[in-house]
């Protein structure tokens, strides 16, 4: 695919738990998303099918815009540029935008895709960032990002939330809609992207986010997004971690490094 001649140059906006991709339609393998995802065509409709454990794959459908619920195995094909908005499971909740808001957000993204920031894009779909309702769970989320390389124990997380392990698991799933380990995996991906945006390699990002190796990161990334992180960076994608990309889920821990443009190095041996 000729990324350099695409009408929309590839870029990623990264908040602590929100993210957005805008750029050429990538040749994605079937993958299981963690965050609820709004897929938006910026030109021609895309094809989408989803997998149900009981009934298998659905028929392909043609879509201008679609909401893909979290934890959904799906396969998407696009011949034109796309935008993907990855919702914050904690701050955005699980209620998808209604048809009118999907149409409004789609129209705005098609009009402003080259320059729109993550906050404006989410606002276009009626998704203003809001504070979590349970500060105990928000405290755990902030700790995941503060030390993702070592904060991997559900009992430790339960203690931080001042809840019993069983009550913590139930409360976390109710508030976030995901198990603790799956949500931690989502937040770790943001750490990887911020590390790369700040000039680090994928190996640096993998270690900063608590992956055992860059190969471990590559496997998890492909399962979540449908391509390897090396393949994504090979497009020359720009990664924006500016203040516009920082949502309220970070709360008092704001201060991500600034954008590093598109001139980044993937060191030999990275996936």
């Amino acid at each position: 695919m000729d990324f350099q001649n695409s009408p929309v140059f590839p870029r990623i906006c990264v908040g602590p738990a929100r993210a957005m991709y805008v750029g050429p339609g990538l040749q994605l393998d079937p993958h299981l998303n963690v965050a609820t995802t709004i897929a938006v065509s910026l030109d021609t409709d895309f094809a989408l099918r989803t997998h149900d454990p009981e009934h298998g794959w659905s028929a392909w459908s043609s879509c201008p815009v679609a909401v893909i619920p979290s934890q959904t195995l799906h396969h998407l094909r696009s011949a034109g540029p796309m935008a993907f908005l990855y919702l914050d499971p904690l701050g955005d909740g699980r209620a998808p935008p209604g048809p009118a808001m999907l149409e409004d957000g789609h129209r705005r993204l098609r009009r402003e895709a080259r320059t729109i920031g993550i906050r404006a894009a989410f606002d276009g779909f009626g998704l203003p960032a809001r504070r979590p309702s349970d500060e105990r769970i928000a405290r755990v989320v902030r700790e995941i990002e503060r030390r993702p390389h070592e904060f991997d124990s559900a009992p430790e997380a339960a203690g931080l939330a001042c809840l019993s392990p069983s009550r913590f698991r139930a409360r976390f799933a109710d508030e976030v809609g995901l198990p603790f380990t799956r949500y931690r995996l989502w937040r770790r991906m943001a750490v990887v992207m911020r590390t790369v945006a700040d000039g680090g390699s994928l190996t640096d990002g993998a270690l900063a986010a608590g992956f055992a190796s860059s190969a471990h990161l590559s496997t998890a990334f492909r399962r979540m997004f449908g391509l390897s992180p090396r393949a994504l960076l090979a497009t020359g994608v720009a990664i924006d971690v500016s203040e516009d990309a920082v949502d309220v889920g970070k709360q008092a821990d704001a201060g991500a490094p600034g954008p590093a443009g598109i001139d980044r190095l993937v060191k030999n041996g990275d996936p």
Side-chain angles (χ1 to χ4, degrees):
M1 181 173 293
D2 187 356
F3 297 104
Q4 298 300 324
N5 292 326
S6 170
V8 180
F9 198 84
R11 62 191 177 92
I12 296 172
C13 299
V14 182
R18 281 178 166 182
M20 178 176 70
Y21 167 84
V22 179
L26 303 171
Q27 301 302 313
L28 303 177
D29 295 331
H31 56 285
L32 185 71
N33 55 322
V34 170
T36 295
T37 305
I38 303 176
V40 181
S41 70
L42 300 178
D43 186 5
T44 58
D45 289 0
F46 57 89
L48 176 68
R49 63 174 179 165
T50 58
H51 185 271
D52 180 271
E54 292 186 8
H55 303 100
W57 286 101
S58 67
W60 287 99
S61 58
S62 181
C63 310
V65 59
V67 178
I68 305 169
S70 64
Q71 306 268 65
T72 298
L73 180 61
H74 63 284
H75 193 186
L76 187 149
R77 293 174 176 170
S78 174
M82 292 286 300
F84 296 103
L85 275 65
Y86 302 95
L87 278 60
D88 176 358
L90 183 64
D92 290 319
R94 280 165 278 169
M101 292 308 302
L102 282 178
E103 184 177 345
D104 289 346
H106 184 200
R107 185 165 50 247
R108 182 171 186 176
L109 263 176
R110 292 189 71 164
R111 185 175 63 245
E112 304 176 26
R114 290 176 179 270
T115 58
I116 195 168
I118 188 171
R119 185 173 299 164
F122 274 71
D123 286 351
F125 285 92
L127 293 167
R130 61 179 182 269
R131 291 188 177 278
S133 61
D134 192 328
E135 173 56 28
R136 297 170 299 180
I137 301 303
R139 189 185 312 141
V140 170
V141 166
R142 292 195 296 271
E143 193 65 14
I144 290 172
E145 188 160 339
R146 183 174 292 113
R147 50 189 186 99
H149 59 293
E150 61 182 3
F151 189 67
D152 59 356
S153 166
E156 182 183 1
L160 181 63
C162 299
L163 295 168
S164 68
S166 61
R167 178 59 181 154
F168 169 74
R169 287 192 295 269
R171 186 68 194 128
F172 193 95
D174 183 62
E175 181 78 4
V176 178
L178 296 166
F180 168 75
T181 53
R182 290 291 288 168
Y183 186 75
R184 176 176 175 260
L185 179 60
W186 175 243
R187 297 303 292 259
R188 291 159 71 198
M189 292 301 181
V191 173
V192 173
M193 289 294 100
R194 288 202 300 272
T195 301
V196 173
D198 204 33
S201 68
L202 286 172
T203 297
D204 296 332
L207 297 178
F211 290 96
S213 65
S214 59
H216 183 202
L217 164 64
S218 184
T219 298
F221 195 96
R222 182 184 290 274
R223 287 174 179 169
M224 186 180 295
F225 298 108
L227 79 170
S228 72
R230 185 181 183 91
L232 177 63
L233 293 184
T235 68
V237 65
I239 304 177
D240 175 16
V241 289
S242 65
E243 286 302 312
D244 183 58
V246 177
D247 62 26
V248 296
K250 194 159 178 84
Q251 296 195 17
D253 299 320
I262 63 173
D263 184 19
R264 63 194 80 266
L265 174 66
V266 182
K267 294 181 180 177
N268 292 333
D270 283 349

